[in-house]
Amino acid sequence: MIDTKNDVFAMYGATAYYAQMFEVGLRSIFFLAHILKDPAMTKEGVEQCSLKITRSNIGLLLTEIKKRYRVRPELEKSFSELREKRNYLIHHYFFENAFKMVDDEGRKAIANELKALFIEFKRADELTDILVAQIRKDVGWSEAEFMELVKQKY
């Protein structure tokens, strides 16, 4: 139950966490794509790739992923919608909902919206984990082998 502003902030934090994990999942997919394209990538190449990934926003990550993988239209649409929701959550949410924070009904409305977003981003995080695992499997790598490769390259 959402009784105080702190309860709303806690729900927001949990939601923002999964929004960020969705983004991390996209970064992992992008990183895998680079390693698969160039398995002999040097340490410097990995560092450049990592820097590019770090500086990329979700929109650019999605564009780059589509260049390397065939993405089903419904998945592309879902990821694009999640990008918009993530940007709203991180950049506009409290500005647009500030007046709802002053009473119980408003906080309840915020909590309901945040719960729905939480579920969406948690599912998206789980999906990117599945996609990364599938890409590794298609290449014949276990998670341990992939992590060892990353450690060697770094």
Side-chain angles (χ1 to χ4, degrees), residues 77-90:
K77 181 179 181 224
S78 175
F79 281 178
S80 292
E81 289 171 357
L82 285 163
R83 181 197 64 193
E84 292 299 319
K85 289 177 182 182
R86 182 255 178 221
N87 288 343
Y88 165 69
L89 178 71
I90 300 303

Side-chain angles (χ1 to χ4, degrees), residues 101-132:
M101 292 290 287
V102 298
D103 62 33
D104 291 340
E105 279 301 309
R107 286 191 295 275
K108 184 176 179 181
I110 286 174
N112 289 335
E113 182 178 13
L114 288 172
K115 284 177 188 174
L117 288 169
F118 173 88
I119 291 167
E120 282 188 76
F121 285 119
K122 189 172 188 305
R123 286 180 180 156
D125 173 47
E126 292 165 353
L127 177 60
T128 57
D129 284 349
I130 290 167
L131 292 172
V132 167

